[in-house]
Amino acid sequence: MDLSNLLLLNAGVIAGCMVSLWLLSLWLKDASIVDLFWGFGFVVISWVSLLNAASPTTAAWMTTILVTIWGCRLAGYLSWRNIGKGEDSRYTEMRQKPGRNFALFSLFVIFGLQGTIMWIVSLPLQVIPTLDASFSTLTPLGLLLWLIGVSFESIGDFQLARFKSNPANRGKVLDQGLWHYTRHPNYFGDFLVWCGYYVLAISFDASAWWTIIGPALMTFCLLWFSGVAHLEKRIQNRRPEYADYIRRTSSFFPWPPASKEESSSLSSHSHSPTS
């Protein structure tokens, strides 16, 4: 199957999955199940692409296995964290806005939009099985980025889950482990994973350069759409001490945190009438 037909096939598969999830969400009255499918959705796309390629190479099989490891870990973690705890507050707030047909709204704005983003972000994964791919000097870099990214995500999620499991930490801010160097190690890890997939794609065949659209969109979402900016706005409303954490800790890229003196200085300047 050529690339254009494969892209259309995957678009249809994603649409079918999202409509099915949407119908299930109406029955469960829980739109947040869309988040549980996010990681696994890329696994589905990767396997559909691989199994419909004319002659998938070893490189294509390797990439699909990497996606399966990453996607199943993420889906499993989110399912463990969220199932049985009701609808995420983000979606509940959307549901409660007056004058809105939430069923129709959720089909297009929640499930439809996420499906569209998934299709675009996964472009490197869809292209790789169609390439006459072979390993190159760039391939180890792609693998290294993927490994570091998965490690950041996994360790960050584990540290956060352990922190939240202690009742004594209720209302507090985690600033230890990876969270000592970045406020969002899981998002940073996700960023590296998708950079890794892109580097793998161009390492197999430089003609795949245009698939950078995928990781670029993912980075935009992580930083400004549904990731860092959106999450921190919600956290600051619930945890006053998070403002100080913001002042001393890197937002995204890991970096040694500011000292207490530097943090205090930044705080005083930010409240100065001349600043």
Side-chain angles (χ1 to χ4, degrees):
M1 183 179 291
D2 62 26
L3 178 58
S4 58
N5 286 328
L6 184 59
L7 292 174
L8 287 173
L9 173 62
N10 279 321
V13 169
I14 294 171
C17 290
M18 288 301 174
V19 170
S20 299
L21 277 173
W22 171 69
L23 291 172
L24 180 60
S25 78
L26 297 182
W27 180 60
L28 296 173
K29 295 182 174 57
D30 185 355
S32 57
I33 62 173
V34 70
D35 295 335
L36 308 185
F37 183 72
W38 177 252
F40 190 70
F42 292 106
V43 177
V44 172
I45 294 170
S46 295
W47 280 102
V48 168
S49 302
L50 182 76
L51 297 177
N52 285 277
S55 54
T57 63
T58 301
W61 277 98
M62 180 195 73
T63 305
T64 302
I65 291 171
L66 294 180
V67 175
T68 303
I69 294 171
W70 168 79
C72 288
R73 187 215 71 86
L74 180 59
Y77 170 73
L78 292 178
S79 298
W80 169 80
R81 190 186 69 178
N82 297 337
I83 288 179
K85 297 183 179 178
E87 186 174 61
D88 186 282
S89 60
R90 294 170 298 161
Y91 300 106
T92 302
E93 290 169 5
M94 294 180 192
R95 187 186 295 276
Q96 292 173 346
K97 288 187 177 180
R100 169 183 292 169
N101 182 338
F102 184 76
L104 195 60
F105 172 86
S106 64
L107 173 60
F108 291 100
V109 178
I110 297 177
F111 291 86
L113 178 60
Q114 185 151 312
T116 301
I117 292 174
M118 183 181 293
W119 183 81
I120 296 172
V121 168
S122 65
L123 284 174
L125 309 181
Q126 298 184 64
V127 166
I128 287 175
T130 69
L131 303 174
D132 185 17
S134 58
F135 299 111
S136 73
T137 54
L138 267 180
T139 303
L141 175 60
L143 291 171
L144 180 62
L145 289 171
W146 179 88
L147 180 60
I148 296 174
V150 168
S151 298
F152 255 83
E153 279 193 83
S154 303
I155 295 171
D157 285 341
F158 171 76
Q159 290 173 341
L160 182 60
R162 184 177 60 181
F163 179 80
K164 287 185 173 181
S165 68
N166 186 347
N169 293 326
R170 187 174 183 83
K172 295 182 179 180
V173 175
L174 172 60
D175 60 356
Q176 302 298 315
L178 295 180
W179 302 82
H180 187 63
Y181 301 98
T182 166
R183 302 199 298 271
H184 301 280
N186 43 2
Y187 289 158
F188 174 70
D190 207 30
F191 162 76
L192 287 185
V193 165
W194 285 98
C195 287
Y197 292 143
Y198 176 69
V199 171
L200 286 176
I202 60 173
S203 78
F204 301 148
D205 191 328
S207 67
W209 63 268
W210 61 274
T211 62
I212 196 172
I213 299 169
L217 177 58
M218 175 60 85
T219 303
F220 171 78
C221 290
L222 289 172
L223 288 174
W224 297 290
F225 181 57
S226 59
V228 173
H230 179 74
L231 179 61
E232 292 201 334
K233 183 178 179 181
R234 296 171 60 214
I235 293 177
Q236 288 186 76
N237 293 333
R238 302 195 310 262
R239 302 176 188 174
E241 64 182 277
Y242 198 80
D244 182 60
Y245 181 56
I246 288 176
R247 282 190 291 270
R248 54 189 165 82
T249 309
S250 172
S251 170
F252 193 69
F253 294 98
W255 194 258
S259 65
K260 291 184 178 180
E261 292 75 13
E262 291 172 322
S263 178
S264 300
S265 175
L266 288 171
S267 177
S268 62
H269 282 301
S270 66
H271 289 87
S272 168
T274 60
S275 62

